[in-house]
CSV table of all heavy atoms in Angstrom, one decimal:
chain,number,residue,atom,x,y,z
W,86,ILE,N,-9.0,32.4,-20.0
W,86,ILE,CA,-8.7,31.1,-19.4
W,86,ILE,C,-10.0,30.5,-18.9
W,86,ILE,O,-10.5,31.0,-17.8
W,86,ILE,CB,-7.7,31.2,-18.4
W,86,ILE,CG1,-6.4,31.8,-18.9
W,86,ILE,CG2,-7.3,29.8,-17.8
W,86,ILE,CD1,-5.3,32.1,-17.9
W,87,ALA,N,-10.5,29.6,-19.6
W,87,ALA,CA,-11.7,28.9,-19.2
W,87,ALA,C,-11.5,27.9,-18.1
W,87,ALA,O,-12.4,27.6,-17.2
W,87,ALA,CB,-12.5,28.3,-20.3
W,88,GLU,N,-10.4,27.2,-18.2
W,88,GLU,CA,-10.1,26.1,-17.3
W,88,GLU,C,-8.5,25.9,-17.3
W,88,GLU,O,-7.9,26.3,-18.3
W,88,GLU,CB,-10.7,24.7,-17.9
W,88,GLU,CG,-10.4,23.5,-17.1
W,88,GLU,CD,-11.0,22.3,-17.8
W,88,GLU,OE1,-10.4,21.8,-18.7
W,88,GLU,OE2,-12.0,21.9,-17.2
W,89,ILE,N,-8.1,25.5,-16.2
W,89,ILE,CA,-6.6,25.3,-16.0
W,89,ILE,C,-6.4,23.8,-15.8
W,89,ILE,O,-6.5,23.3,-14.7
W,89,ILE,CB,-6.0,26.1,-14.9
W,89,ILE,CG1,-6.2,27.6,-15.1
W,89,ILE,CG2,-4.5,25.8,-14.7
W,89,ILE,CD1,-5.9,28.5,-13.9
W,90,PRO,N,-6.0,23.1,-17.0
W,90,PRO,CA,-5.8,21.6,-16.8
W,90,PRO,C,-4.2,21.4,-16.6
W,90,PRO,O,-3.4,21.8,-17.4
W,90,PRO,CB,-6.2,21.1,-18.1
W,90,PRO,CG,-5.9,22.2,-19.1
W,90,PRO,CD,-6.1,23.5,-18.4
W,91,LEU,N,-3.9,20.8,-15.5
W,91,LEU,CA,-2.5,20.5,-15.2
W,91,LEU,C,-2.4,18.9,-15.2
W,91,LEU,O,-3.1,18.2,-14.5
W,91,LEU,CB,-2.1,20.9,-13.8
W,91,LEU,CG,-2.2,22.4,-13.4
W,91,LEU,CD1,-1.8,22.6,-12.0
W,91,LEU,CD2,-1.4,23.2,-14.4
W,92,ARG,N,-1.5,18.4,-16.1
W,92,ARG,CA,-1.2,17.1,-16.2
W,92,ARG,C,0.1,16.8,-15.4
W,92,ARG,O,1.2,17.2,-15.9
W,92,ARG,CB,-1.2,16.6,-17.6
W,92,ARG,CG,-2.6,16.6,-18.2
W,92,ARG,CD,-2.6,15.9,-19.5
W,92,ARG,NE,-4.0,15.9,-20.0
W,92,ARG,CZ,-4.4,15.5,-21.2
W,92,ARG,NH1,-3.5,15.1,-22.1
W,92,ARG,NH2,-5.7,15.6,-21.5
W,93,LEU,N,0.0,16.0,-14.4
W,93,LEU,CA,1.2,15.8,-13.5
W,93,LEU,C,1.4,14.3,-13.2
W,93,LEU,O,0.4,13.5,-13.0
W,93,LEU,CB,0.9,16.5,-12.1
W,93,LEU,CG,0.5,18.0,-12.2
W,93,LEU,CD1,0.0,18.5,-10.9
W,93,LEU,CD2,1.7,18.7,-12.7
W,94,ASN,N,2.6,13.9,-13.2
W,94,ASN,CA,3.0,12.6,-12.9
W,94,ASN,C,3.3,12.5,-11.4
W,94,ASN,O,4.4,13.2,-10.9
W,94,ASN,CB,4.3,12.2,-13.7
W,94,ASN,CG,3.9,11.7,-15.1
W,94,ASN,OD1,3.1,10.7,-15.2
W,94,ASN,ND2,4.4,12.3,-16.1
W,95,PHE,N,2.6,11.8,-10.7
W,95,PHE,CA,2.9,11.5,-9.2
W,95,PHE,C,3.5,10.1,-9.2
W,95,PHE,O,2.8,9.1,-9.3
W,95,PHE,CB,1.6,11.6,-8.4
W,95,PHE,CG,0.9,12.9,-8.4
W,95,PHE,CD1,-0.5,13.0,-8.6
W,95,PHE,CD2,1.6,14.1,-8.4
W,95,PHE,CE1,-1.2,14.3,-8.6
W,95,PHE,CE2,0.9,15.4,-8.4
W,95,PHE,CZ,-0.4,15.4,-8.6
W,96,SER,N,4.8,10.0,-9.2
W,96,SER,CA,5.4,8.8,-9.4
W,96,SER,C,5.9,8.1,-8.2
W,96,SER,O,6.2,6.9,-8.2
W,96,SER,CB,6.6,9.0,-10.4
W,96,SER,OG,7.5,9.9,-9.9
W,97,ASP,N,6.1,8.8,-7.1
W,97,ASP,CA,6.7,8.1,-5.9
W,97,ASP,C,5.5,7.7,-5.0
W,97,ASP,O,4.7,8.5,-4.5
W,97,ASP,CB,7.6,9.2,-5.2
W,97,ASP,CG,8.3,8.7,-4.0
W,97,ASP,OD1,7.9,7.6,-3.4
W,97,ASP,OD2,9.2,9.4,-3.6
W,98,ALA,N,5.5,6.4,-4.7
W,98,ALA,CA,4.4,5.8,-3.9
W,98,ALA,C,4.4,6.4,-2.5
W,98,ALA,O,3.4,6.2,-1.8
W,98,ALA,CB,4.5,4.4,-3.9
W,99,GLU,N,5.6,6.9,-2.0
W,99,GLU,CA,5.6,7.3,-0.6
W,99,GLU,C,5.7,8.8,-0.4
W,99,GLU,O,5.7,9.3,0.7
W,99,GLU,CB,7.0,6.8,0.0
W,99,GLU,CG,7.0,5.3,-0.1
W,99,GLU,CD,5.9,4.6,0.6
W,99,GLU,OE1,5.6,5.0,1.8
W,99,GLU,OE2,5.3,3.6,0.0
W,100,ALA,N,5.6,9.7,-1.5
W,100,ALA,CA,5.8,11.1,-1.5
W,100,ALA,C,4.4,11.8,-1.1
W,100,ALA,O,3.4,11.4,-1.4
W,100,ALA,CB,6.3,11.6,-2.8
W,101,HIS,N,4.7,13.1,-0.5
W,101,HIS,CA,3.6,14.0,-0.4
W,101,HIS,C,3.8,15.0,-1.5
W,101,HIS,O,4.8,15.7,-1.6
W,101,HIS,CB,3.7,14.7,1.0
W,101,HIS,CG,2.8,15.9,1.0
W,101,HIS,ND1,3.0,16.9,2.0
W,101,HIS,CD2,1.7,16.3,0.4
W,101,HIS,CE1,2.0,17.9,1.7
W,101,HIS,NE2,1.2,17.5,0.8
W,102,TYR,N,2.9,15.0,-2.5
W,102,TYR,CA,2.9,16.0,-3.5
W,102,TYR,C,2.0,17.1,-3.2
W,102,TYR,O,0.8,16.9,-2.9
W,102,TYR,CB,2.4,15.4,-4.9
W,102,TYR,CG,3.4,14.4,-5.4
W,102,TYR,CD1,3.3,13.0,-5.2
W,102,TYR,CD2,4.5,14.8,-6.3
W,102,TYR,CE1,4.2,12.1,-5.7
W,102,TYR,CE2,5.3,13.9,-6.9
W,102,TYR,CZ,5.2,12.6,-6.5
W,102,TYR,OH,6.1,11.7,-7.1
W,103,HIS,N,2.5,18.4,-3.3
W,103,HIS,CA,1.7,19.6,-2.9
W,103,HIS,C,1.7,20.5,-4.2
W,103,HIS,O,2.7,20.7,-4.8
W,103,HIS,CB,2.3,20.3,-1.7
W,103,HIS,CG,1.5,21.6,-1.4
W,103,HIS,ND1,0.2,21.4,-0.9
W,103,HIS,CD2,1.8,22.8,-1.5
W,103,HIS,CE1,-0.4,22.7,-0.7
W,103,HIS,NE2,0.6,23.6,-1.1
W,104,VAL,N,0.5,20.8,-4.6
W,104,VAL,CA,0.3,21.5,-5.9
W,104,VAL,C,-0.2,22.9,-5.5
W,104,VAL,O,-1.4,23.1,-5.4
W,104,VAL,CB,-0.6,20.8,-6.8
W,104,VAL,CG1,-0.8,21.5,-8.1
W,104,VAL,CG2,-0.1,19.3,-7.1
W,105,PRO,N,0.6,23.9,-5.5
W,105,PRO,CA,0.1,25.3,-5.3
W,105,PRO,C,-0.2,25.9,-6.6
W,105,PRO,O,0.5,25.6,-7.7
W,105,PRO,CB,1.3,26.0,-4.6
W,105,PRO,CG,2.5,25.1,-4.8
W,105,PRO,CD,2.1,23.8,-5.3
W,106,LEU,N,-1.3,26.7,-6.7
W,106,LEU,CA,-1.7,27.3,-8.0
W,106,LEU,C,-2.0,28.8,-7.6
W,106,LEU,O,-2.9,29.0,-6.8
W,106,LEU,CB,-2.8,26.6,-8.5
W,106,LEU,CG,-3.4,27.2,-9.8
W,106,LEU,CD1,-2.5,27.1,-11.0
W,106,LEU,CD2,-4.8,26.6,-10.1
W,107,ALA,N,-1.4,29.7,-8.4
W,107,ALA,CA,-1.9,31.1,-8.2
W,107,ALA,C,-2.5,31.5,-9.6
W,107,ALA,O,-1.8,31.2,-10.7
W,107,ALA,CB,-0.6,32.0,-8.0
W,108,LEU,N,-3.7,32.0,-9.5
W,108,LEU,CA,-4.4,32.3,-10.8
W,108,LEU,C,-5.0,33.7,-10.9
W,108,LEU,O,-5.1,34.4,-9.8
W,108,LEU,CB,-5.6,31.3,-10.9
W,108,LEU,CG,-6.6,31.2,-9.8
W,108,LEU,CD1,-7.8,32.1,-10.2
W,108,LEU,CD2,-7.1,29.8,-9.7
W,109,SER,N,-5.2,34.1,-12.0
W,109,SER,CA,-5.9,35.4,-12.2
W,109,SER,C,-6.7,35.2,-13.6
W,109,SER,O,-6.6,34.1,-14.2
W,109,SER,CB,-4.9,36.5,-12.4
W,109,SER,OG,-4.4,36.6,-13.8
W,110,PRO,N,-7.6,36.1,-14.0
W,110,PRO,CA,-8.3,35.9,-15.2
W,110,PRO,C,-7.4,35.9,-16.4
W,110,PRO,O,-7.8,35.5,-17.5
W,110,PRO,CB,-9.2,37.1,-15.3
W,110,PRO,CG,-9.4,37.6,-13.8
W,110,PRO,CD,-8.1,37.3,-13.2
Side-chain angles (χ1 to χ4, degrees):
I86 300 174
E88 177 182 77
I89 301 169
L91 302 178
R92 290 193 174 169
L93 305 170
N94 276 302
F95 301 137
S96 59
D97 186 340
E99 303 300 316
H101 169 204
Y102 289 93
H103 182 65
V104 183
L106 175 72
L108 60 91
S109 82

